[in-house]
Every structure is written in structure tokens, then in C-alpha cells.
């Protein structure tokens, strides 16, 4: 990801001459008898996934989602306060902006997005001229026919992020606006990997002359493209470790994607548009885990956690604070005998119950995936925990809800985290993302 500065006058002219639509989400606060814009997010040139127009209006806060011509947003670039902006049924007064704006580029299916965009995009951030004078009324948000919230941060996460949990560290940003410009030049579509080949759909209106590269630990292949369509890479030795796809033109990347199942840059493969068709024999998979024994990334439990025994999930928090890991339920404490879990519900219900317990106990919610296997006629549940992207992760139980507990993994055991452990988890994730970002400049 590379960042550059843009003069506000240049950004204003680009918006004024745009013929595209903008899909806007905005938060406003009461200003006298009207509304003052506090924060605006807009996607220009593409419709966001699961888009709908809506208005949440409260006594001192308002949230609106609407579609407007992109040219209307030029008013966000003025160094003078007082510009009027019509956002659907809401009229807002725009505060003064401070330049320059800052632009950063993101690939398709960027993993930190709650609703990933299937095309690359350039994000432009506009700062307010006077941050100190901006104030969000800290009151309960109760309105007629709209969701109610105990405070503004929860309402913001629900409206902008779709997160209604009321538990989260992310709050109302202090930027005036974040404008996302969809890039339709060329991008990577769905990726399908089999044991013998990788097929990737390349889409866009300016594909001719671009280069598609498959890069991995054990080799590199590339194709010069003439048009959009499917491109096939043979995999004589299977998918290489640490595999990436790069779509580029010269020294500039057009799109990129990690297709390594263990990569912290991929997260949920299906969510990232990647399908890996690798046949796995369930018994062999479980036997391999059992043979490896408990360790930094594997833990066995005989019983599934319940609301009364949810402290078992401290290991989920520890895995998320580290490099991820796997919990296997239905294995005796001897780490050898397959006992199976109690089947008082269908396997799908047990999987959902397990994920729901994680969602209600570990904060923030890490990415997890539950699978069920039938071994020797006994039901085994496996919980895969991905490396967390927003550490530290803590355990929040009824007894500790006001003060979450944090854990780390050392060897085959889970320990309470010390302050330096949490600092290292955060710094390690930042270093990982920073190192990777520096490799993507172009």
C-alpha cells in the first residue's frame, strides 16, 4: 500500500467533473436547528455489497445512507465552513476542510473490510480544519422506528460496519471524509485451485499489456495478457507455499492477492474470492493432528465449552494473539483416545453453538471456522483460529466483563498475558503489516 498527498483543489476539480455516482454513508450531529456533518464515507464508481438507502435519526445524531452524483461531494473540499450538502432526506452543513488530502490504494477483497469490495480502490482521506471544535454528543441514541444504542460509538459501528455487538474498540473516526474510488482498469476475480492447476479470472476494461504473476516459495510463473478472461497455471508440484498472485503493469500493481491458506494477509479464503479444492481424508487429518500432539498451535479438549465452562476459550484468545491455532474437541486428556463430543444436537447446531460462544466471549471477535468430522463413528469438532489482525484479544465472561483477561500461548500451555506480552502482540502485527506494505509500493 502506497500513500501520496493530493491538493484539495485538485480533488475538488476531479469530483466536479466526475460523471459517476457516489454511494454515501454519513454521520451528522445537531447544529442549532439543523445538522452539521461529522463524518462522510463514500464509494465512487461501484455499488457496495448489500447496499440500501436508510436514515436513522435521533435527537442529536443522524445517520444516512444515500446515492448522490459524485460531483455533489466537491463541497467536502472547501477550506471554508458552511457549504450545504444534500444527502438524501438530510441537509447538512459542511465544516472547513484542511489539505492536503491523503490517498492510499487497496487491492480487491481487502481483508480488513467488513464487506470486501471485489475491485481495487483508492481511498482519499480529508481532514477537518479544526479537530478541536468537533464534538459528538455523548448521549443515548433512541429514535422512533430505528435501532437504539447506549452511546454514539456503538451506533457508528452498527451503521458503518454492520457490527451490532455493542462491544468493540473502534469508534467514530475524526476524519471529515473518506472517499473510496473504485478502480476498473484491471483486477483479479475468483481464484480456483485444484491439485493440478490454478485458474484465475482477470477482469476489467484495460487488461491488454498487463502481466499476471504467480509467485511462491518454490517458483514463479507469469503470463502476458491481451484481454480479460480466465488464465490457467499448471501446478505440477501442487500449490507452492506462500503463494501470491500479482496483476501488474510495469512497476505498478493493478491488483494482488495472497492465496496461501495460512497467510495472515488472506484470512478467510472464500471471503477473499479464493477456492482451494484439496481433497482431505477426515480421519487422516485428525490422526495427523493427534500424532503431532499438543503444542503452540494445537490443543485438545474432551468436551465442548458451555456458558458455564467458557474459560476453555481462553486458548482461542491466546491463538488469536499469536500465530493462530487449532482446537480439537472430542479427544481424551491422554491426547490419544478419540472419545467424541456429546451429540445432543445436530453437528451443524453444535458448530454454530461453538462459534456463538466465541463471539460472545472473545473480544474483539477473531476469525474462526468450525468443522465437524466423523472418526470411528464418533463426532469430532475442530475449531480453526486465524492470527488476529487487531490484537490484543481478551476473554470477557460475566465475572470479567468490565475487565477482560488476556492470554498467550507458550509451548503446549495457555498462560495469562503480561503487559509486555500484549505490547509485543500489537507491535508484531504492526511490523508484519508494515513489512508487507513496503513490498507492495508501486
Amino acid at each position: 500500500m502506497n500513500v501520496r498527498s493530493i491538493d484539495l483543489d485538485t480533488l475538488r476539480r476531479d469530483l466536479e467533473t466526475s460523471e459517476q455516482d457516489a454511494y454515501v454513508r454519513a454521520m451528522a450531529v445537531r447544529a442549532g436547528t439543523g445538522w452539521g456533518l461529522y463524518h462522510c464515507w463514500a464509494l465512487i464508481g461501484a455499488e457496495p455489497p448489500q447496499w440500501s438507502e436508510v436514515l436513522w435519526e435521533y435527537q442529536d445524531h443522524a445517520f444516512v445512507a444515500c446515492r448522490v452524483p459524485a460531483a455533489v461531494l466537491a463541497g467536502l473540499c472547501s477550506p471554508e465552513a458552511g457549504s450545504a450538502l444534500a444527502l438524501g432526506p438530510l441537509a447538512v452543513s459542511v465544516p472547513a476542510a484542511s489539505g492536503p488530502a491523503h490517498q492510499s490504494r487497496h487491492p480487491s477483497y481487502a481483508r480488513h473490510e467488513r464487506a470486501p469490495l471485489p475491485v481495487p480502490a483508492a481511498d482519499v482521506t480529508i481532514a477537518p480544519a479544526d479537530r478541536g471544535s468537533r464534538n459528538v454528543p455523548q448521549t443515548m441514541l433512541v429514535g422512533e422506528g430505528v435501532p437504539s444504542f447506549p452511546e454514539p460509538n456503538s451506533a457508528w459501528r452498527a451503521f458503518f460496519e454492520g457490527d451490532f455487538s455493542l462491544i468493540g474498540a473502534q469508534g467514530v473516526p475524526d476524519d471529515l471524509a473518506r472517499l473510496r474510488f473504485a478502480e476498473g482498469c484491471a483486477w483479479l476475480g475468483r481464484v480456483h485451485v485444484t491439485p493440478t492447476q490454478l485458474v484465475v479470472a482477470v477482469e476489467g476494461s484495460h487488461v491488454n499489456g498487463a502481466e499476471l504473476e504467480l509467485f511462491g516459495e518454490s517458483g514463479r510463473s507469469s503470463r502476458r495478457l491481451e484481454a480479460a478472461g480466465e488464465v490457467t497455471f499448471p501446478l505440477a508440484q501442487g500449490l507452492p507455499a506462500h503463494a501470491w498472485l500479482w496483476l501488474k503493469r510495469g512497476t505498478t500493481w493493478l491488483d494482488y492477492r495472497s492465496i496461501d491458506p495460512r497467510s495472515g494477509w488472506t484470512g478467510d479464503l472464500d471471503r477473499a474470492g479464493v477456492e482451494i479444492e484439496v481433497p482431505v481424508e477426515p480421519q487422516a487429518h485428525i490422526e495427523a493432528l493427534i500424532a503431532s500432539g499438543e503444542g503452540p498451535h494445537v490443543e485438545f479438549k474432551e468436551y465442548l465449552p458451555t456458558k458455564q465452562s467458557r474459560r476453555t476459550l481462553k486458548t482461542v484468545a491466546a491463538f488469536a494473539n499469536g500465530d493462530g491455532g487449532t482446537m480439537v474437541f472430542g479427544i481424551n486428556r491422554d491426547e490419544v483416545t478419540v472419545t467424541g463430543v456429546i451429540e445432543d444436537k445436530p453437528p451443524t447446531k453444535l458448530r454454530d453453538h461453538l462459534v456463538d460462544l466465541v463471539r460472545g466471549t472473545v473480544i474483539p471477535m477473531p476469525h474462526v471456522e468450525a468443522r465437524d468430522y466423523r472418526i470411528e463413528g464418533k463426532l469430532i469438532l475442530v475449531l480453526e483460529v486465524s492470527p488476529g489482525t487487531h490484537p490484543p484479544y481478551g476473554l470477557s465472561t460475566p465475572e470479567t466483563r468490565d475487565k477482560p483477561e488476556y492470554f498467550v500461548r507458550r509451548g503446549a500451555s495457555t498462560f495469562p498475558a503480561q503487559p509486555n506480552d500484549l505490547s509485543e502482540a500489537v507491535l508484531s502485527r504492526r511490523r508484519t503489516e508494515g513489512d508487507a506494505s513496503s513490498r507492495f509500493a508501486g
Side-chain angles (χ1 to χ4, degrees), residues 275-358:
E275 178 188 1
I276 298 183
E277 186 182 304
V278 179
V280 177
E281 205 282 312
Q283 184 164 337
H285 178 69
I286 298 299
E287 287 176 351
L289 284 175
I290 296 174
S292 67
E294 289 192 333
H297 304 104
V298 179
E299 179 161 302
F300 303 139
K301 293 292 180 184
E302 186 167 2
Y303 304 104
L304 287 172
T306 65
K307 289 184 178 180
Q308 290 72 38
S309 63
R310 65 179 70 190
R311 284 187 63 81
T312 297
L313 299 175
K314 65 185 181 182
T315 301
V316 175
F319 282 157
N321 282 325
D323 296 322
T326 304
M327 294 190 72
V328 184
F329 297 91
I331 305 296
N332 188 271
R333 293 178 63 184
D334 62 11
E335 301 183 19
V336 174
T337 307
V338 177
T339 59
V341 298
I342 299 173
E343 296 188 56
D344 56 350
K345 298 177 183 176
T348 54
K349 296 291 186 182
L350 291 173
R351 293 201 316 261
D352 291 344
H353 175 69
L354 181 58
V355 173
D356 287 342
L357 275 178
V358 174

Side-chain angles (χ1 to χ4, degrees), residues 78-329:
S78 174
E80 303 293 333
S83 299
L85 186 61
L87 298 177
L90 205 65
V92 299
S93 175
V94 181
S98 174
H102 299 286
Q103 182 191 71
S104 60
R105 296 181 64 223
H106 304 273
S108 60
Y109 295 99
R111 72 181 305 256
H112 296 298
E113 298 296 325
R114 181 168 291 275
L117 194 64
V119 297
D123 283 4
V124 177
T125 303
I126 303 173
D130 185 2
R131 293 183 188 270
S133 65
R134 287 156 57 82
N135 179 51
V136 177
Q138 295 300 308
T139 62
M140 288 187 175
L141 283 70
V142 179
E144 184 176 354
V146 296
S148 300
F149 300 93
E151 39 75 35
N153 284 341
S154 297
W156 185 88
R157 288 193 298 271
F159 191 83
F160 283 82
E161 301 292 333
D163 179 6
F164 285 79
S165 67
L166 303 183
I167 299 175
Q170 191 171 7
V172 182
D174 59 2
D175 299 320
L176 174 59
R178 295 180 185 177
L179 308 182
R180 168 163 290 187
F181 295 82
E183 298 180 347
C185 177
W187 67 90
L188 300 172
R190 298 291 299 184
V191 179
H192 185 203
V193 183
T194 75
T196 59
Q197 65 180 18
L198 180 150
V199 181
V200 52
V202 179
E203 304 177 36
S205 56
H206 294 83
V207 175
N208 185 32
E211 181 183 0
L212 178 63
E213 176 186 6
L214 172 61
F215 176 89
E217 190 176 89
S218 58
R220 172 186 175 274
S221 300
S222 65
R223 300 280 191 277
R224 184 70 62 178
L225 307 180
E226 296 181 355
E230 290 189 344
V231 181
T232 300
F233 289 95
L235 300 176
Q237 305 299 322
L239 182 67
H242 306 297
W244 285 77
L245 281 170
W246 295 88
L247 184 62
K248 56 191 181 180
R249 181 174 281 111
T251 60
T252 301
W253 65 262
L254 303 174
D255 199 3
Y256 61 82
R257 194 171 308 162
S258 168
I259 50 176
D260 185 341
R262 298 295 299 175
S263 170
W265 279 88
T266 305
D268 185 339
L269 284 172
D270 184 64
R271 191 170 186 262
V274 179
E275 178 188 1
I276 298 183
E277 186 182 304
V278 179
V280 177
E281 205 282 312
Q283 184 164 337
H285 178 69
I286 298 299
E287 287 176 351
L289 284 175
I290 296 174
S292 67
E294 289 192 333
H297 304 104
V298 179
E299 179 161 302
F300 303 139
K301 293 292 180 184
E302 186 167 2
Y303 304 104
L304 287 172
T306 65
K307 289 184 178 180
Q308 290 72 38
S309 63
R310 65 179 70 190
R311 284 187 63 81
T312 297
L313 299 175
K314 65 185 181 182
T315 301
V316 175
F319 282 157
N321 282 325
D323 296 322
T326 304
M327 294 190 72
V328 184
F329 297 91

